[in-house]
Amino acid sequence: MSVRAPERESLMASAAPAQPAVTIAGLTKEFSTRRGTVAALGGVSLQVATGEVLGLVGPSGCGKSTLLEIVAGLQEPSAGQVAVEGRPASADRLAACVLMPQRDLLLPWRSALDNAGLALELGGVGRRGARRRAAALFERFGLGEFAAARPDELSGGMRQRVAFARTLLAARPVLLLDEPFASLDAITRAELQEWTGEALAAEPRAVLLVTHDIEEALYLGDRVLVLSPRPGRVRMELPGARGAAGPRSETVTSAEFSRLRARALEALA
Amino acid sequence: MSRAARLAREWAPPALLLGTLVAAWEVAARAGWVQDYLLPAPSEVARALVDDRKLLLEDAWVTGQEVLLGFGLALAVGVAIAVALHASGLLRRAVYPLVVASQAVPVVVIAPILVIWFGFDMTPKLIVIALICFFPIVVNTFDGLRAVDPAQAKMLRTLGADRWALLRRLELPAALPYFFSGAKVAVAVAVIGAVFGELAGSDAGLGHAIQVGMAQLLTARVFAAVVILSAMAIGLFALVSAAERLAVPWAGRRKAAA
């Protein structure tokens, strides 16, 4: 980590004059249903810089996933501004973001390796080139021996790693993670959180991490925003523990971490 | 359970039932309860199969070709229509009712007309077979294309998929199990289409053999032709099922895991 740190700083410095990777201002979203209009987001404003991980926690149904889909260019806001790398058009947002959903959504007819290389193939890289680049990442992720496995032969944790490899190989400046570990058991989740922290440290990207797990947001995030119940708006900002030295088990049991968690819980209540 | 025991458990019930039915039929025919030209004994049908094998094989060859080509035509047209219906809401509204209406057209009525248009050669038979077969292929494939998980489509879009890539990488592979369901229904009735086509006008084929056999009261030969038609349908069905296992290996395993 100490070797990598200056490199990251220089990358961030070179990006500094530009605008933040993600800018959201006064964003609202309403859905019309048979029973009338439902406000999902009630005026959210936030920014995410390149190299930063922003955690978003909030109660179920507060519009977190909707927010990510709007940033990703899959939905349009009802009002307010959203821009990715300074561009507001949905096609530009779609091109600059990659969304990792809660379910791994691996294609059952593709091997683990070919699932990971999907974005490369969609970008015009041949099957062989995609496999070569995915294989390099698989080695780093400890997935090497599972390259040829079909998704239904993998455990939940393995599948999520493959999904994460697929997300990273899309090579977009903005990563949108929507409860990426929610479907995993507690032990696997803790393991993958630690592992994700390391994987994200290697690459200077803007990351928006949506979760209902306060500990996850505080552990992985540089900053954490606590959202209110629907219609969601930012209720509180907390510093995260990202980059803390030592193993995860020490970080999340420190007094400082406990204090932050208590404050977040209070804000959620 | 041993392999032999498993095979016995799977095959014994249908074999026993079929054997009993055939035996009863044989007894009824030999006892003279029914006239020979109305219902020949199974042994007579078997004799016709052997005695007329040259004739029947030639006819089976003709019908087999018609069925394969007609079924192939139905596959191509069926998948193309399903994709078109899926791709365009306008086409869906305009064409889908016509696709359904096409199944209300009585094949018995349209087959002779096709013979007038296209003559005695293979074309009218292929059209009749395709007309009967394409419907289950269209309906099932179309349903399969629409049954794609919307979350999966969103995921692919953020990975950079355009409309065409979505179809090719997600919707078509995901629709494969549905497509095969339709193809299995279609292939089983394809044989009927061939017979209808041949009855309307032909100089060869098992339908032709049935027509001639009926006229000459060679009922055993008619039954022999039907036996061959059934065998053909079973063989084609098995072929499509085998293709399904090869093309959709993930479907069975996922079901087993669930």
Side-chain angles (χ1 to χ4, degrees), chain A residues 69 74 97-99 103 105-110 119 121-122 150 152-153 166 172, chain B residues 149 151-152 154-161 165 169-170 173-174 249-250 253-254:
Chain A
E69 291 198 356
L74 293 167
C97 296
V98 59
L99 177 68
R103 290 186 293 144
L105 297 174
L106 299 179
L107 302 178
W109 49 86
R110 284 178 164 250
E121 284 185 51
L122 289 169
R150 284 199 185 281
D152 54 12
E153 298 166 340
R166 177 186 66 197
R172 303 290 165 77
Chain B
D149 185 347
Q152 214 135 30
K154 275 182 191 167
M155 184 270 294
L156 252 87
R157 282 181 64 202
T158 81
L159 292 180
R169 312 273 186 184
L170 176 64
W250 67 87
R253 226 182 302 157
R254 194 164 40 172

Side-chain angles (χ1 to χ4, degrees), chain B residues 13-152:
Chain B
L16 271 176
L17 181 64
L18 191 66
T20 311
L21 285 175
V22 170
W25 176 4
E26 181 78 38
V27 168
R30 289 231 180 155
W33 296 340
V34 283
Q35 293 293 324
D36 238 16
Y37 64 87
L38 290 180
L39 187 65
S43 56
E44 282 176 63
V45 175
R47 194 173 309 131
L49 271 173
V50 175
D51 293 347
D52 301 335
R53 64 182 176 277
K54 190 158 177 299
L55 185 97
L56 286 170
L57 269 180
E58 273 170 22
D59 284 329
W61 171 242
V62 172
T63 303
Q65 276 177 305
E66 289 166 2
V67 167
L68 282 179
L69 288 172
F71 180 61
L73 184 65
L75 288 181
V77 173
V79 171
I81 292 181
V83 170
L85 293 179
H86 177 65
S88 155
L90 184 68
L91 276 179
R92 182 155 58 241
R93 285 188 295 278
V95 178
Y96 211 6
L98 295 183
V99 170
V100 177
S102 77
Q103 295 307 293
V105 177
V107 177
V108 209
V109 173
I110 201 147
I113 298 173
L114 290 171
V115 172
I116 295 170
W117 288 354
F118 298 102
F120 263 48
D121 69 358
M122 214 183 243
T123 315
K125 285 98 182 171
L126 299 191
I127 296 176
V128 170
I129 296 171
L131 194 62
I132 290 187
C133 288
F134 90 109
F135 188 67
I137 298 171
V138 169
V139 172
N140 279 282
T141 309
F142 177 55
D143 282 350
L145 290 170
R146 289 202 306 173
V148 160
D149 185 347
Q152 214 135 30

